[in-house]
Amino acid sequence: MISRSPSSTQWLLTLPSLAWLGLFFVIPAILIVVTAFRSVDFHGGVGAGWTMENIVALRDPAWLPIAWRTLALSAATTFICLALALPMTFHMARVGPRLRQILLLLVVIPFLSNFLIRIFAWKSLLHPEGPLTNLLVSLRLVPEGALLLNNVGAVLLVMIYTQLPFAILPLYAAAEKFDFSLLDAARDLGAGPWRSFAKVFVPGVRRGLISAAVMVFVCSLGQYVIPQMVGGASDEMIGSKIAQRVFADRNLPQASTLAAALMLAVLVPMFVAAAWQRFGRKEAAS
Amino acid sequence: MIAFLFAPLVVLVVNSFNASRFGGEWDGFTWSWYEKLWAADEVWESLVITLKIAVSASLASMLLGTLAAYTLHRFRSGLQSAHSMLITLPLVMPDILMGMSLLALFVLTGVETGLLTIWIAHVTFCLSFVTMVVLGRLQDFDFTLIDAARDLGATRTQAVKKVLLPLVLPGVVAGGLLAFTLSIDDYVITFFVSGPGTTTLPLRIASMMRTSRSLPVINALSTLLIASTFLLAALSFRLQYPLRSGNSES
């Protein structure tokens, strides 16, 4: 019973989730954009008037380094996560089903343990009196009293750590469906292992690669807890500024303006990826 | 790679038994951090709040998500394409935007932040995950089985109750467990929509992280949380892939 135009039963069954997401996801997202044009109320709320001030304030050159840092850190995180996840999923998809299941579980478990705890774990690992610093100092890899914490490197490391499963899972789903006999064919036709990996496997899992990249990039763009916990004062990302506007300055319209800008930065790569995926499908169909 | 994923967690667990405050070196075995944790009433109060929200939010999202997955799987229409997009978008929306936008909604409508607003937020982000898990399970379900049941004289309700439900239920429970873990875990969104007296466990951990005195206690708390996550994950995994776990039922 597949109906083309929605029946009343279909409407009735779809309504609960549709209404919930409409009310608590779509409307709030629109409200953010609307609030960006509202004036500030000094009691921490939203003023009555309409204004362009918040938008104009974005032209302040002080935002440039923050926007740049957010984009650069997210791009670096995405790139490194994919570079780590690609060979990993390549091997995961080739081992036996039992081992594969165990590996998958091992990847997912750290991801399910509390986000804050994972950051805290890195914080104590990188602590000046922590085990990693002691180890590196005793191996003479870093000078005595080196600070592994509170710098941009620590932020990048922890971002990669927390986002890696977002790269592995979609890539694994694609690699699982990949026909590995294609690699044998490529080898028979004279391609080396590296060449067949790059020219046959990577294009073969392209869809997974695109969703992994979007997932990691988008999630990285919105980070603020990681820079706050393991980064230094100069490692703030746009998310840090949003949280600051909301909780320290109690300036909701200004925070909404930043959030609207972030939303734009999130939606653009998503639509590009969606269009790309669709283009790929059409190409394959023709 | 697995070592990279697990090393920080192992360090936490080991340090929770370490008498040394910063865990740079091993100063001998101790239970004292666990004793301190046991005595920290505010942590247990937060745990109760967290569990209340997690249980109610996962139940609600199980209901909404299962219904959503069913309609997405059963019907093909413009409505379902829009529905599908609405379900997928929250999965890729950064937490901070979801928290910020819900806060804007609550401030503008004058709803006071508290347990209710946290619950709404949690149901909203769990809903999509539950739908995805149940949808995966439904895609493995052979709908001709329903027709077979109907041919054998079952009513529509009977067919759904006796055939569809038992086969899809593991997916629903797995989705619910995922929602439960996500709800317990969430910090960013909860931080935006929480009010006075609704300090959930992640919020409590965050505030403990700011005072160095309680750092080793966080190790002990983390160890307990990691252990329970392991158990939940193993349980959920079993439910989700029962056929592939060694017996040849398929």
Side-chain angles (χ1 to χ4, degrees), chain A residues 3 10 14 17 20 88 106 109 114-116 120 129 161 218 224 270, chain B residues 1 4-6 24 76-77 80 83 89 92 124 185 191 202 219 230:
Chain A
S3 55
Q10 191 190 152
T14 313
S17 51
W20 186 282
M88 197 169 162
L106 285 176
I109 284 178
N114 193 290
F115 172 67
L116 278 178
F120 177 71
E129 288 166 55
Y161 180 77
V218 161
Y224 84 92
M270 256 163 51
Chain B
M1 184 63 66
F4 171 64
L5 287 176
F6 278 87
R76 294 279 175 283
S77 60
Q80 295 309 327
H83 190 202
L89 267 177
V92 283
T124 309
D185 182 47
F191 188 55
N219 286 334
F230 273 37

PDB file of all heavy atoms in Angstrom, chain A residues 3 10 14 17 20 88 106 109 114-116 120 129 161 218 224 270, chain B residues 1 4-6 24 76-77 80 83 89 92 124 185 191 202 219 230:
ATOM      1  N   SER A   3       1.167   4.886  -1.216  1.00  0.00           N
ATOM      2  CA  SER A   3       0.320   5.914  -1.794  1.00  0.00           C
ATOM      3  C   SER A   3       1.176   7.073  -2.285  1.00  0.00           C
ATOM      4  O   SER A   3       2.193   7.392  -1.703  1.00  0.00           O
ATOM      5  CB  SER A   3      -0.686   6.399  -0.747  1.00  0.00           C
ATOM      6  OG  SER A   3      -0.010   6.819   0.398  1.00  0.00           O
ATOM      7  N   GLN A  10      -1.841   8.759   6.722  1.00  0.00           N
ATOM      8  CA  GLN A  10      -0.432   9.113   6.670  1.00  0.00           C
ATOM      9  C   GLN A  10      -0.170  10.419   7.398  1.00  0.00           C
ATOM     10  O   GLN A  10       0.778  10.536   8.167  1.00  0.00           O
ATOM     11  CB  GLN A  10       0.016   9.204   5.208  1.00  0.00           C
ATOM     12  CG  GLN A  10       1.507   9.298   5.105  1.00  0.00           C
ATOM     13  CD  GLN A  10       1.983   9.634   3.715  1.00  0.00           C
ATOM     14  OE1 GLN A  10       3.024  10.219   3.558  1.00  0.00           O
ATOM     15  NE2 GLN A  10       1.236   9.270   2.678  1.00  0.00           N
ATOM     16  N   THR A  14       2.167  10.862  10.658  1.00  0.00           N
ATOM     17  CA  THR A  14       3.376  11.675  10.489  1.00  0.00           C
ATOM     18  C   THR A  14       3.340  12.890  11.403  1.00  0.00           C
ATOM     19  O   THR A  14       4.385  13.401  11.801  1.00  0.00           O
ATOM     20  CB  THR A  14       3.509  12.131   9.027  1.00  0.00           C
ATOM     21  OG1 THR A  14       3.283  11.006   8.183  1.00  0.00           O
ATOM     22  CG2 THR A  14       4.897  12.672   8.740  1.00  0.00           C
ATOM     23  N   SER A  17       5.708  13.527  14.976  1.00  0.00           N
ATOM     24  CA  SER A  17       7.122  13.876  14.849  1.00  0.00           C
ATOM     25  C   SER A  17       7.285  15.162  14.049  1.00  0.00           C
ATOM     26  O   SER A  17       8.166  15.982  14.335  1.00  0.00           O
ATOM     27  CB  SER A  17       7.898  12.732  14.207  1.00  0.00           C
ATOM     28  OG  SER A  17       7.280  12.311  13.025  1.00  0.00           O
ATOM     29  N   TRP A  20       6.418  18.076  16.315  1.00  0.00           N
ATOM     30  CA  TRP A  20       7.447  18.257  17.350  1.00  0.00           C
ATOM     31  C   TRP A  20       8.666  18.968  16.762  1.00  0.00           C
ATOM     32  O   TRP A  20       9.148  19.958  17.324  1.00  0.00           O
ATOM     33  CB  TRP A  20       7.849  16.904  17.949  1.00  0.00           C
ATOM     34  CG  TRP A  20       8.773  17.065  19.097  1.00  0.00           C
ATOM     35  CD1 TRP A  20      10.117  17.336  19.016  1.00  0.00           C
ATOM     36  CD2 TRP A  20       8.447  17.033  20.492  1.00  0.00           C
ATOM     37  NE1 TRP A  20      10.642  17.463  20.274  1.00  0.00           N
ATOM     38  CE2 TRP A  20       9.648  17.276  21.190  1.00  0.00           C
ATOM     39  CE3 TRP A  20       7.261  16.810  21.195  1.00  0.00           C
ATOM     40  CZ2 TRP A  20       9.695  17.305  22.582  1.00  0.00           C
ATOM     41  CZ3 TRP A  20       7.321  16.832  22.580  1.00  0.00           C
ATOM     42  CH2 TRP A  20       8.525  17.080  23.260  1.00  0.00           C
ATOM     43  N   MET A  88      41.758   3.105   8.184  1.00  0.00           N
ATOM     44  CA  MET A  88      41.195   2.298   9.251  1.00  0.00           C
ATOM     45  C   MET A  88      39.947   1.543   8.776  1.00  0.00           C
ATOM     46  O   MET A  88      39.820   0.338   8.977  1.00  0.00           O
ATOM     47  CB  MET A  88      40.833   3.211  10.414  1.00  0.00           C
ATOM     48  CG  MET A  88      40.642   2.470  11.688  1.00  0.00           C
ATOM     49  SD  MET A  88      40.550   3.621  13.031  1.00  0.00           S
ATOM     50  CE  MET A  88      39.800   2.559  14.237  1.00  0.00           C
ATOM     51  N   LEU A 106      34.509  -1.256  19.517  1.00  0.00           N
ATOM     52  CA  LEU A 106      35.623  -0.547  20.147  1.00  0.00           C
ATOM     53  C   LEU A 106      35.675   0.912  19.701  1.00  0.00           C
ATOM     54  O   LEU A 106      36.056   1.792  20.460  1.00  0.00           O
ATOM     55  CB  LEU A 106      36.954  -1.236  19.814  1.00  0.00           C
ATOM     56  CG  LEU A 106      37.222  -2.538  20.558  1.00  0.00           C
ATOM     57  CD1 LEU A 106      38.521  -3.164  20.071  1.00  0.00           C
ATOM     58  CD2 LEU A 106      37.302  -2.288  22.058  1.00  0.00           C
ATOM     59  N   ILE A 109      32.468   2.739  21.525  1.00  0.00           N
ATOM     60  CA  ILE A 109      32.417   2.875  22.982  1.00  0.00           C
ATOM     61  C   ILE A 109      33.014   4.188  23.510  1.00  0.00           C
ATOM     62  O   ILE A 109      32.342   4.898  24.260  1.00  0.00           O
ATOM     63  CB  ILE A 109      33.044   1.648  23.672  1.00  0.00           C
ATOM     64  CG1 ILE A 109      32.040   0.488  23.597  1.00  0.00           C
ATOM     65  CG2 ILE A 109      33.369   1.938  25.127  1.00  0.00           C
ATOM     66  CD1 ILE A 109      32.536  -0.788  24.194  1.00  0.00           C
ATOM     67  N   ASN A 114      30.889   9.866  28.166  1.00  0.00           N
ATOM     68  CA  ASN A 114      30.557  11.287  28.271  1.00  0.00           C
ATOM     69  C   ASN A 114      31.576  12.211  27.598  1.00  0.00           C
ATOM     70  O   ASN A 114      32.781  12.082  27.781  1.00  0.00           O
ATOM     71  CB  ASN A 114      30.439  11.627  29.751  1.00  0.00           C
ATOM     72  CG  ASN A 114      29.801  12.961  29.957  1.00  0.00           C
ATOM     73  OD1 ASN A 114      30.405  13.969  29.663  1.00  0.00           O
ATOM     74  ND2 ASN A 114      28.588  12.972  30.432  1.00  0.00           N
ATOM     75  N   PHE A 115      31.034  13.147  26.822  1.00  0.00           N
ATOM     76  CA  PHE A 115      31.834  14.111  26.078  1.00  0.00           C
ATOM     77  C   PHE A 115      32.772  14.903  26.990  1.00  0.00           C
ATOM     78  O   PHE A 115      33.971  15.048  26.725  1.00  0.00           O
ATOM     79  CB  PHE A 115      30.853  15.031  25.352  1.00  0.00           C
ATOM     80  CG  PHE A 115      31.448  16.224  24.663  1.00  0.00           C
ATOM     81  CD1 PHE A 115      32.275  16.051  23.573  1.00  0.00           C
ATOM     82  CD2 PHE A 115      31.146  17.506  25.093  1.00  0.00           C
ATOM     83  CE1 PHE A 115      32.808  17.146  22.913  1.00  0.00           C
ATOM     84  CE2 PHE A 115      31.673  18.611  24.438  1.00  0.00           C
ATOM     85  CZ  PHE A 115      32.509  18.422  23.352  1.00  0.00           C
ATOM     86  N   LEU A 116      32.234  15.362  28.112  1.00  0.00           N
ATOM     87  CA  LEU A 116      33.050  16.134  29.054  1.00  0.00           C
ATOM     88  C   LEU A 116      34.149  15.289  29.658  1.00  0.00           C
ATOM     89  O   LEU A 116      35.264  15.751  29.874  1.00  0.00           O
ATOM     90  CB  LEU A 116      32.178  16.672  30.182  1.00  0.00           C
ATOM     91  CG  LEU A 116      31.413  17.935  29.915  1.00  0.00           C
ATOM     92  CD1 LEU A 116      30.585  18.272  31.128  1.00  0.00           C
ATOM     93  CD2 LEU A 116      32.354  19.061  29.579  1.00  0.00           C
ATOM     94  N   PHE A 120      38.002  15.914  29.729  1.00  0.00           N
ATOM     95  CA  PHE A 120      38.683  15.906  31.025  1.00  0.00           C
ATOM     96  C   PHE A 120      39.853  14.918  31.008  1.00  0.00           C
ATOM     97  O   PHE A 120      40.929  15.210  31.545  1.00  0.00           O
ATOM     98  CB  PHE A 120      37.696  15.542  32.132  1.00  0.00           C
ATOM     99  CG  PHE A 120      38.318  15.442  33.486  1.00  0.00           C
ATOM    100  CD1 PHE A 120      38.747  16.589  34.149  1.00  0.00           C
ATOM    101  CD2 PHE A 120      38.512  14.216  34.083  1.00  0.00           C
ATOM    102  CE1 PHE A 120      39.338  16.496  35.388  1.00  0.00           C
ATOM    103  CE2 PHE A 120      39.106  14.121  35.331  1.00  0.00           C
ATOM    104  CZ  PHE A 120      39.528  15.263  35.982  1.00  0.00           C
ATOM    105  N   GLU A 129      51.744  18.235  35.088  1.00  0.00           N
ATOM    106  CA  GLU A 129      52.269  17.196  35.979  1.00  0.00           C
ATOM    107  C   GLU A 129      51.683  15.842  35.610  1.00  0.00           C
ATOM    108  O   GLU A 129      51.745  14.892  36.383  1.00  0.00           O
ATOM    109  CB  GLU A 129      51.912  17.533  37.438  1.00  0.00           C
ATOM    110  CG  GLU A 129      52.716  18.702  37.974  1.00  0.00           C
ATOM    111  CD  GLU A 129      52.125  19.218  39.270  1.00  0.00           C
ATOM    112  OE1 GLU A 129      51.967  18.389  40.182  1.00  0.00           O
ATOM    113  OE2 GLU A 129      51.804  20.415  39.348  1.00  0.00           O
ATOM    114  N   TYR A 161      40.089  13.879  18.356  1.00  0.00           N
ATOM    115  CA  TYR A 161      39.714  12.734  19.184  1.00  0.00           C
ATOM    116  C   TYR A 161      38.198  12.604  19.304  1.00  0.00           C
ATOM    117  O   TYR A 161      37.647  11.513  19.167  1.00  0.00           O
ATOM    118  CB  TYR A 161      40.329  12.880  20.576  1.00  0.00           C
ATOM    119  CG  TYR A 161      39.990  11.737  21.505  1.00  0.00           C
ATOM    120  CD1 TYR A 161      40.634  10.528  21.384  1.00  0.00           C
ATOM    121  CD2 TYR A 161      39.023  11.877  22.484  1.00  0.00           C
ATOM    122  CE1 TYR A 161      40.322   9.469  22.219  1.00  0.00           C
ATOM    123  CE2 TYR A 161      38.701  10.824  23.326  1.00  0.00           C
ATOM    124  CZ  TYR A 161      39.366   9.629  23.190  1.00  0.00           C
ATOM    125  OH  TYR A 161      39.044   8.588  24.012  1.00  0.00           O
ATOM    126  N   VAL A 218      30.971  20.198  10.089  1.00  0.00           N
ATOM    127  CA  VAL A 218      29.849  20.928  10.678  1.00  0.00           C
ATOM    128  C   VAL A 218      29.895  20.873  12.204  1.00  0.00           C
ATOM    129  O   VAL A 218      29.687  21.869  12.893  1.00  0.00           O
ATOM    130  CB  VAL A 218      28.528  20.369  10.104  1.00  0.00           C
ATOM    131  CG1 VAL A 218      27.368  20.729  10.981  1.00  0.00           C
ATOM    132  CG2 VAL A 218      28.314  20.878   8.694  1.00  0.00           C
ATOM    133  N   TYR A 224      32.639  24.790  21.244  1.00  0.00           N
ATOM    134  CA  TYR A 224      33.127  25.835  22.134  1.00  0.00           C
ATOM    135  C   TYR A 224      33.648  25.286  23.443  1.00  0.00           C
ATOM    136  O   TYR A 224      34.455  25.901  24.116  1.00  0.00           O
ATOM    137  CB  TYR A 224      32.067  26.916  22.377  1.00  0.00           C
ATOM    138  CG  TYR A 224      31.078  26.596  23.473  1.00  0.00           C
ATOM    139  CD1 TYR A 224      31.324  27.016  24.781  1.00  0.00           C
ATOM    140  CD2 TYR A 224      29.929  25.904  23.208  1.00  0.00           C
ATOM    141  CE1 TYR A 224      30.417  26.731  25.800  1.00  0.00           C
ATOM    142  CE2 TYR A 224      29.038  25.624  24.206  1.00  0.00           C
ATOM    143  CZ  TYR A 224      29.273  26.032  25.493  1.00  0.00           C
ATOM    144  OH  TYR A 224      28.392  25.752  26.490  1.00  0.00           O
ATOM    145  N   MET A 270      26.597  21.844   3.756  1.00  0.00           N
ATOM    146  CA  MET A 270      25.648  20.747   3.704  1.00  0.00           C
ATOM    147  C   MET A 270      24.925  20.700   2.376  1.00  0.00           C
ATOM    148  O   MET A 270      24.759  19.642   1.781  1.00  0.00           O
ATOM    149  CB  MET A 270      24.640  20.878   4.844  1.00  0.00           C
ATOM    150  CG  MET A 270      24.921  19.914   5.959  1.00  0.00           C
ATOM    151  SD  MET A 270      24.101  20.352   7.471  1.00  0.00           S
ATOM    152  CE  MET A 270      22.455  20.584   6.934  1.00  0.00           C
TER     153      MET A 270
ATOM    154  N   MET B   1      45.548   2.834  16.554  1.00  0.00           N
ATOM    155  CA  MET B   1      44.401   3.756  16.488  1.00  0.00           C
ATOM    156  C   MET B   1      43.453   3.520  17.665  1.00  0.00           C
ATOM    157  O   MET B   1      42.984   4.448  18.316  1.00  0.00           O
ATOM    158  CB  MET B   1      43.668   3.521  15.165  1.00  0.00           C
ATOM    159  CG  MET B   1      42.530   4.482  14.939  1.00  0.00           C
ATOM    160  SD  MET B   1      43.075   6.180  14.821  1.00  0.00           S
ATOM    161  CE  MET B   1      44.022   6.062  13.299  1.00  0.00           C
ATOM    162  N   PHE B   4      44.852   5.043  20.613  1.00  0.00           N
ATOM    163  CA  PHE B   4      44.613   6.481  20.659  1.00  0.00           C
ATOM    164  C   PHE B   4      43.212   6.758  21.210  1.00  0.00           C
ATOM    165  O   PHE B   4      43.004   7.683  22.000  1.00  0.00           O
ATOM    166  CB  PHE B   4      44.763   7.051  19.240  1.00  0.00           C
ATOM    167  CG  PHE B   4      44.348   8.495  19.084  1.00  0.00           C
ATOM    168  CD1 PHE B   4      45.040   9.497  19.754  1.00  0.00           C
ATOM    169  CD2 PHE B   4      43.297   8.843  18.249  1.00  0.00           C
ATOM    170  CE1 PHE B   4      44.663  10.835  19.597  1.00  0.00           C
ATOM    171  CE2 PHE B   4      42.921  10.173  18.095  1.00  0.00           C
ATOM    172  CZ  PHE B   4      43.611  11.162  18.776  1.00  0.00           C
ATOM    173  N   LEU B   5      42.253   5.913  20.820  1.00  0.00           N
ATOM    174  CA  LEU B   5      40.883   6.114  21.283  1.00  0.00           C
ATOM    175  C   LEU B   5      40.735   5.809  22.772  1.00  0.00           C
ATOM    176  O   LEU B   5      39.956   6.435  23.465  1.00  0.00           O
ATOM    177  CB  LEU B   5      39.923   5.227  20.480  1.00  0.00           C
ATOM    178  CG  LEU B   5      39.647   5.653  19.040  1.00  0.00           C
ATOM    179  CD1 LEU B   5      38.774   4.646  18.330  1.00  0.00           C
ATOM    180  CD2 LEU B   5      38.979   7.017  19.002  1.00  0.00           C
ATOM    181  N   PHE B   6      41.505   4.822  23.250  1.00  0.00           N
ATOM    182  CA  PHE B   6      41.274   4.359  24.611  1.00  0.00           C
ATOM    183  C   PHE B   6      42.239   4.915  25.650  1.00  0.00           C
ATOM    184  O   PHE B   6      41.909   4.937  26.834  1.00  0.00           O
ATOM    185  CB  PHE B   6      41.274   2.826  24.664  1.00  0.00           C
ATOM    186  CG  PHE B   6      39.951   2.244  24.254  1.00  0.00           C
ATOM    187  CD1 PHE B   6      39.670   1.994  22.927  1.00  0.00           C
ATOM    188  CD2 PHE B   6      38.977   1.996  25.201  1.00  0.00           C
ATOM    189  CE1 PHE B   6      38.454   1.500  22.542  1.00  0.00           C
ATOM    190  CE2 PHE B   6      37.750   1.489  24.821  1.00  0.00           C
ATOM    191  CZ  PHE B   6      37.485   1.237  23.496  1.00  0.00           C
ATOM    192  N   GLY B  24      50.550  12.165  37.796  1.00  0.00           N
ATOM    193  CA  GLY B  24      51.788  12.138  37.028  1.00  0.00           C
ATOM    194  C   GLY B  24      52.558  10.866  37.285  1.00  0.00           C
ATOM    195  O   GLY B  24      53.127  10.270  36.385  1.00  0.00           O
ATOM    196  N   ARG B  76       5.622   6.727   0.557  1.00  0.00           N
ATOM    197  CA  ARG B  76       6.491   7.512  -0.321  1.00  0.00           C
ATOM    198  C   ARG B  76       5.680   8.705  -0.814  1.00  0.00           C
ATOM    199  O   ARG B  76       4.702   8.514  -1.534  1.00  0.00           O
ATOM    200  CB  ARG B  76       6.928   6.704  -1.538  1.00  0.00           C
ATOM    201  CG  ARG B  76       7.812   5.536  -1.237  1.00  0.00           C
ATOM    202  CD  ARG B  76       9.268   5.982  -1.058  1.00  0.00           C
ATOM    203  NE  ARG B  76      10.096   4.853  -0.653  1.00  0.00           N
ATOM    204  CZ  ARG B  76      10.111   4.377   0.585  1.00  0.00           C
ATOM    205  NH1 ARG B  76       9.370   4.928   1.528  1.00  0.00           N
ATOM    206  NH2 ARG B  76      10.876   3.354   0.897  1.00  0.00           N
ATOM    207  N   SER B  77       6.049   9.907  -0.416  1.00  0.00           N
ATOM    208  CA  SER B  77       5.301  11.071  -0.880  1.00  0.00           C
ATOM    209  C   SER B  77       6.130  12.319  -0.625  1.00  0.00           C
ATOM    210  O   SER B  77       7.184  12.249   0.023  1.00  0.00           O
ATOM    211  CB  SER B  77       3.975  11.181  -0.125  1.00  0.00           C
ATOM    212  OG  SER B  77       4.237  11.310   1.256  1.00  0.00           O
ATOM    213  N   GLN B  80       6.653  12.841   2.993  1.00  0.00           N
ATOM    214  CA  GLN B  80       7.698  12.045   3.628  1.00  0.00           C
ATOM    215  C   GLN B  80       9.102  12.536   3.271  1.00  0.00           C
ATOM    216  O   GLN B  80      10.021  12.400   4.074  1.00  0.00           O
ATOM    217  CB  GLN B  80       7.549  10.558   3.276  1.00  0.00           C
ATOM    218  CG  GLN B  80       6.283   9.921   3.818  1.00  0.00           C
ATOM    219  CD  GLN B  80       6.069  10.156   5.307  1.00  0.00           C
ATOM    220  OE1 GLN B  80       7.018  10.246   6.074  1.00  0.00           O
ATOM    221  NE2 GLN B  80       4.823  10.276   5.720  1.00  0.00           N
ATOM    222  N   HIS B  83       9.516  15.262   5.623  1.00  0.00           N
ATOM    223  CA  HIS B  83       9.629  14.632   6.938  1.00  0.00           C
ATOM    224  C   HIS B  83      11.043  14.083   7.134  1.00  0.00           C
ATOM    225  O   HIS B  83      11.692  14.314   8.164  1.00  0.00           O
ATOM    226  CB  HIS B  83       8.598  13.496   7.003  1.00  0.00           C
ATOM    227  CG  HIS B  83       8.423  12.901   8.361  1.00  0.00           C
ATOM    228  ND1 HIS B  83       7.913  11.656   8.560  1.00  0.00           N
ATOM    229  CD2 HIS B  83       8.724  13.373   9.586  1.00  0.00           C
ATOM    230  CE1 HIS B  83       7.880  11.382   9.849  1.00  0.00           C
ATOM    231  NE2 HIS B  83       8.370  12.416  10.494  1.00  0.00           N
ATOM    232  N   LEU B  89      18.094  16.708   9.530  1.00  0.00           N
ATOM    233  CA  LEU B  89      18.781  17.975   9.824  1.00  0.00           C
ATOM    234  C   LEU B  89      19.307  18.083  11.267  1.00  0.00           C
ATOM    235  O   LEU B  89      20.448  18.492  11.465  1.00  0.00           O
ATOM    236  CB  LEU B  89      17.876  19.164   9.496  1.00  0.00           C
ATOM    237  CG  LEU B  89      18.036  19.740   8.088  1.00  0.00           C
ATOM    238  CD1 LEU B  89      17.031  20.855   7.855  1.00  0.00           C
ATOM    239  CD2 LEU B  89      19.450  20.263   7.858  1.00  0.00           C
ATOM    240  N   VAL B  92      22.838  16.771  12.002  1.00  0.00           N
ATOM    241  CA  VAL B  92      24.044  17.471  11.598  1.00  0.00           C
ATOM    242  C   VAL B  92      24.071  18.914  12.112  1.00  0.00           C
ATOM    243  O   VAL B  92      24.974  19.668  11.782  1.00  0.00           O
ATOM    244  CB  VAL B  92      24.216  17.471  10.059  1.00  0.00           C
ATOM    245  CG1 VAL B  92      24.715  16.122   9.596  1.00  0.00           C
ATOM    246  CG2 VAL B  92      22.934  17.831   9.364  1.00  0.00           C
ATOM    247  N   THR B 124      13.949  16.427  21.482  1.00  0.00           N
ATOM    248  CA  THR B 124      14.182  16.929  20.139  1.00  0.00           C
ATOM    249  C   THR B 124      15.445  16.329  19.531  1.00  0.00           C
ATOM    250  O   THR B 124      15.428  15.877  18.391  1.00  0.00           O
ATOM    251  CB  THR B 124      14.290  18.469  20.159  1.00  0.00           C
ATOM    252  OG1 THR B 124      13.170  18.996  20.848  1.00  0.00           O
ATOM    253  CG2 THR B 124      14.347  19.030  18.757  1.00  0.00           C
ATOM    254  N   ASP B 185      24.532  12.051  28.370  1.00  0.00           N
ATOM    255  CA  ASP B 185      25.808  12.604  27.961  1.00  0.00           C
ATOM    256  C   ASP B 185      25.751  14.101  27.684  1.00  0.00           C
ATOM    257  O   ASP B 185      26.738  14.807  27.791  1.00  0.00           O
ATOM    258  CB  ASP B 185      26.257  11.863  26.702  1.00  0.00           C
ATOM    259  CG  ASP B 185      27.611  12.324  26.214  1.00  0.00           C
ATOM    260  OD1 ASP B 185      28.504  12.418  27.062  1.00  0.00           O
ATOM    261  OD2 ASP B 185      27.771  12.598  25.022  1.00  0.00           O
ATOM    262  N   PHE B 191      23.127  22.907  28.876  1.00  0.00           N
ATOM    263  CA  PHE B 191      23.681  24.122  29.474  1.00  0.00           C
ATOM    264  C   PHE B 191      22.868  25.349  29.070  1.00  0.00           C
ATOM    265  O   PHE B 191      22.596  26.230  29.885  1.00  0.00           O
ATOM    266  CB  PHE B 191      25.141  24.270  29.022  1.00  0.00           C
ATOM    267  CG  PHE B 191      25.888  25.364  29.712  1.00  0.00           C
ATOM    268  CD1 PHE B 191      25.967  25.404  31.096  1.00  0.00           C
ATOM    269  CD2 PHE B 191      26.539  26.345  28.978  1.00  0.00           C
ATOM    270  CE1 PHE B 191      26.672  26.405  31.734  1.00  0.00           C
ATOM    271  CE2 PHE B 191      27.243  27.357  29.615  1.00  0.00           C
ATOM    272  CZ  PHE B 191      27.303  27.387  30.995  1.00  0.00           C
ATOM    273  N   PRO B 202      26.308  16.102  33.723  1.00  0.00           N
ATOM    274  CA  PRO B 202      27.357  16.774  32.942  1.00  0.00           C
ATOM    275  C   PRO B 202      27.582  18.223  33.393  1.00  0.00           C
ATOM    276  O   PRO B 202      28.730  18.676  33.444  1.00  0.00           O
ATOM    277  CB  PRO B 202      26.824  16.714  31.509  1.00  0.00           C
ATOM    278  CG  PRO B 202      25.962  15.516  31.483  1.00  0.00           C
ATOM    279  CD  PRO B 202      25.315  15.464  32.836  1.00  0.00           C
ATOM    280  N   ASN B 219      37.707  11.730  38.405  1.00  0.00           N
ATOM    281  CA  ASN B 219      38.245  10.458  37.905  1.00  0.00           C
ATOM    282  C   ASN B 219      37.390   9.293  38.362  1.00  0.00           C
ATOM    283  O   ASN B 219      37.039   8.413  37.574  1.00  0.00           O
ATOM    284  CB  ASN B 219      39.675  10.241  38.425  1.00  0.00           C
ATOM    285  CG  ASN B 219      40.677  11.131  37.718  1.00  0.00           C
ATOM    286  OD1 ASN B 219      40.457  11.529  36.586  1.00  0.00           O
ATOM    287  ND2 ASN B 219      41.754  11.443  38.401  1.00  0.00           N
ATOM    288  N   PHE B 230      29.762   1.213  29.060  1.00  0.00           N
ATOM    289  CA  PHE B 230      30.191  -0.041  28.434  1.00  0.00           C
ATOM    290  C   PHE B 230      29.067  -1.067  28.481  1.00  0.00           C
ATOM    291  O   PHE B 230      28.754  -1.708  27.490  1.00  0.00           O
ATOM    292  CB  PHE B 230      31.415  -0.617  29.172  1.00  0.00           C
ATOM    293  CG  PHE B 230      32.713  -0.083  28.659  1.00  0.00           C
ATOM    294  CD1 PHE B 230      32.825   1.230  28.250  1.00  0.00           C
ATOM    295  CD2 PHE B 230      33.827  -0.898  28.591  1.00  0.00           C
ATOM    296  CE1 PHE B 230      34.023   1.729  27.781  1.00  0.00           C
ATOM    297  CE2 PHE B 230      35.039  -0.410  28.123  1.00  0.00           C
ATOM    298  CZ  PHE B 230      35.129   0.905  27.720  1.00  0.00           C
TER     299      PHE B 230
END
